[in-house]
Amino acid sequence: YGLKALLPLIRREDQSTEYDPSMTLGIDLTPVLHSLGIPSNQQGRHRVLETFQSPWVETSRSEVEPRFFVPESFKKIPNVLQAGNRSPVFNSVQQDLAKISLFQDETLFYLFYKHPGSVVQELTYLELRKRNWRYHKTLKVWLTKDPMMEPVVAPGGASERGSYVFFDPQRWEKCQRDFVLFYNAIM
Amino acid sequence: TDQEKMSLVFTEWVKLLQRVPDDDISVVVFIRQMIEKGVLSSTEGMVKFTNAALELSVSSFKESDPTSDVFIATDAFSKLIVKLLILQEFTDMTRADYFKLMISVITMVISEDHGRMREGFNERPYFRLISSLLCEWECVSGHNFIKMGDQQCRSELVEFNFDFYNIIASFLHSTQPIAFPGFSFAWITLISHRMFLPKMLRLPEKAGWAKLVLLFTDLLKFMAQYTKKNDVPDAVSVVYKGALRIFLAVANDAPGFLVENHYELLNNLPHVYMQLRNIILSAIPKNLVVPNPYDPNLVIDDVIGCHDAPTVFYDPVQDLHALKKPVDNYLRIPSTSLQRAITTGIFKPEYQKDNGIGYDTVSVDTKLINAIVFHVGIEAALEKHKTTATAIFNTKSSYYTLLASLLNDGNSEVRFHVVQAIANQLRYPNAHTHWFNYVLKNFFFAEDWGSNKAEIQEIIVRTLLERIVTNKPHCWGAVVTFADLLKAPGASITTFQFIKDVPEVELIIKHL
Amino acid sequence: TMPSEMASQLESSLLNCPDSLDADTPSLHQDVLSMPHPTSIFFPNET
C-alpha cells in the first residue's frame, strides 16, 4: 500500500511487465480529444455526443446524420421548378439546363459535390463554366478570376500568375488567393 | 401457418415502404388494416409477428449482397414499430406495456440466436434495428411531438417519451456484455449512440441518469472482471479504448453527470484504470472557472468555489446499511462504543480477489468505506452551512475524529482504502474538496499516530502521487493538496525516510 | 480469467463491430434527384 507499489508504474524499463501502462499512467489525451472533435482550449463549447459516430476511431470513418427538425412548411412545397406535385428531378442534360440556370452559385457547388456521376453534376459543370468559373482538375475546386487584377502570363504561355476567387467546399465559402494557374490544369 | 402469414404481411410492408414515402396515405391504411384484421390484436399475435418480422430482417441481412443495402427489412421493421406506437389506440394495454412486450420478444430472439450460433452470432442486424428505432423515434418526437395533429395523441406521446427511453435502457441492461459477449461491441455503440446517450443525459429532471449510471456500471464491471494487470486480452483493451472516448465525450458535453455520479461510477471502476478515474474526478461543472492549482501562492481557503457543496445525485447513505445508525449517532454524539462498531464493521466476511496497484486481494468492504467517507463529507458540508466553518475545520469535531479513528484502529489495508476514499473527494473547488484537503493535511502532520505515523504519511503520499504522475487530467484538489504538503513549513517531505527509501519517487517529488 | 468461449464470442463481436454507416439514419424511400451520367474522371467521385 506504500510507495514501492508505484515503482512498476514509473520505472521505464519495467513498463508493460506488470501493468498495462496505457491504462495506469494512461496516454496523452490530446489526439484522442482531437479525434472526438474537442479542441483542447475550448472544452464544452461544442457538443460532441450529438454527432458521435462510434466509440472507436476505426469505425468512425463516415459522418452520421445528426438530430434535426424539418418544419412542415419546408416540405411538399408545390410546383418547385414547375415539377407539379412531385419533387424536381434532373435527368436530361438537354432539357434541364434552363432549370439549373435559376440557381445561385452556392447551390450549383452543392449539387456538383453532392451528386457525383449524375446528370446534375454535368449540368452544374456546364452552368458554372457559363458563369466563368473553371474547375481545377487536381485541386478539385472551382475558381474564377478576381476582377480587380489582371493576371500576368508567364513566358512560354503555359501559365499565368494572378488573383483568383476560389470556392472552398470544406469551409463552404469563397476566398481570394494569389495563385499560379496552369492552363492545362483547368477545365 | 401463422408464422408464414405474419412473414407475408411483413414482406408486404417492406415492399410498400420502398415504393412510397412513409407519410403516404397507403402506409396509414396498411397499419389500419393490420389492426382491423387482428394481426396484432392479441398478445400471442404480437409475439408471433415480432418474431416473424425479426427473423425475416435478420435472414434478409445475412442473405443480402454485402455491397447492397442489407438493412432494408430491418429499417422497415423499426419504422413499423414506431408507426404502431403512434397510430394505435391503446385500450387493452398501455403503450408502455405494448412496447415492453415487443422489446422482450426482441431480447428473447437475440438470446436464442446468441446461444445457438455462439461465435457465429452476428450482432449487426440487431444493432441496426435498435439504432434505426432510435432515429425514427427522434424524427417523430421532435419539439414535443409537434408533428402529431391529434392533441390527445400528442400529449399521450409526450408522457410516453420517458418510458420509451427507459425501456430501451432496460433492454440494454439485459443485453449487457457479461450476459451476451457476442453483442458487446454493438452494445457499447448503442449506449453511446447519438440518439440515445445525449437524450438520456438531458431528459427533464435527470430522469435518465439512474439508468445511465446502471449501464456505465455494467460496462465498468465487465472491464473490471476481465482486466488482468499485465495480460489484458486484446478485445478488452479495445473495450477500454471505447469506454475512454465515451467518458471523454460525456466529460465535454455533460460534466455535471460525472460530477454528481462520481461516487457510484468509482465504486465499479478497477483501481488500475488510473487515468479513467482521473477523467471522472476531474469533471468540472460548466461555466466554473478554476484557479491554477500549480500557483505557488494559492491558498485553498481563499478560493470562492469552496463555499459551495457539490450536488450529489445518489445519496451514499443508502449504502451504509447496518452502519448508518452508528455513523449518524457518532456524528451527533461521539462515543468509543460507536467508534468501535464502525471500525470493526467495515470488513468483508472473506477475502476477495482484487486488481489493485500493489495488492491482489481485499478483505475490507471498500464500497462501505467509500460510503462512510463520502457521507461524512456531505454531512460536514451541511453542518458548515447550518452553523460555521469552525464546527468542521476542527480536529476535535466528530466528523474529523470518525475518519481519524478509522485510521488509528485500522491496519494498513484499512488505512489505504480510507485514504483512497478521501482522495476521491479531492476534485474541483467545492466544500467537499476543501474539507477533505483539511482532513488529509491534518492527518499528515498530526503527532498522535504514534508508531503508525510514518505508514500513514506514506499511504497519503502514495495516494496523492498516483493521481499526479499519470498523464493528464489531474484533479485540482489532489494537486492542491499535494502542493500543500510540499509547501508546509518545517522539514521537506523529501527528507522523510520512506521517501528516501524509494529514490525514483524521491526524484519525482523533488522535481515536483 | 475469461472463459474461452466468452473470449471467442467477444472476438467475434469485435470483428462484426458496427461502424458509423451502420449507425446512420435509415432512408428507405428516396426520391432520386438525378439519374447516373458519365462525367469527367477529374470530377470528385465521392459525395
Side-chain angles (χ1 to χ4, degrees), chain B residues 343-409:
Chain B
T343 57
T344 54
I346 55 172
F347 290 91
K348 280 198 207 297
E350 51 192 19
Y351 277 93
Q352 269 183 13
K353 276 195 169 170
D354 198 359
N355 232 342
I357 310 270
Y359 59 96
D360 278 5
T361 59
V362 65
S363 67
V364 294
D365 189 339
T366 51
K367 187 167 169 180
L368 181 56
I369 290 178
N370 287 336
I372 293 171
V373 168
F374 190 29
H375 176 65
V376 169
I378 292 172
E379 293 299 310
L382 281 171
E383 176 71 36
K384 182 183 90 166
H385 188 72
K386 271 191 299 201
T387 61
T388 67
T390 46
I392 63 163
F393 287 92
N394 176 352
T395 57
K396 303 239 188 312
S397 74
S398 57
Y399 305 93
Y400 182 91
T401 60
L402 174 50
L403 299 182
S405 66
L406 282 169
L407 291 197
N408 218 9
D409 298 353

Side-chain angles (χ1 to χ4, degrees), chain B residues 285-320:
Chain B
K286 275 190 177 170
N287 303 320
L288 200 75
V289 177
V290 172
N292 177 12
Y294 297 98
D295 177 358
N297 299 317
L298 181 78
V299 174
I300 191 172
D301 303 328
D302 298 337
V303 178
I304 295 177
C306 291
H307 292 321
D308 305 317
T311 314
V312 174
F313 183 68
Y314 176 88
D315 193 341
V317 78
Q318 301 168 66
D319 295 341
L320 290 177

Side-chain angles (χ1 to χ4, degrees), chain A residues 149-152 160-164 176-181:
Chain A
M149 232 198 81
E150 261 312 299
V152 176
E160 63 182 45
R161 165 177 264 292
S163 171
Y164 304 90
Q176 176 275 332
R177 293 273 183 276
D178 290 334
F179 186 67
V180 174
L181 181 67

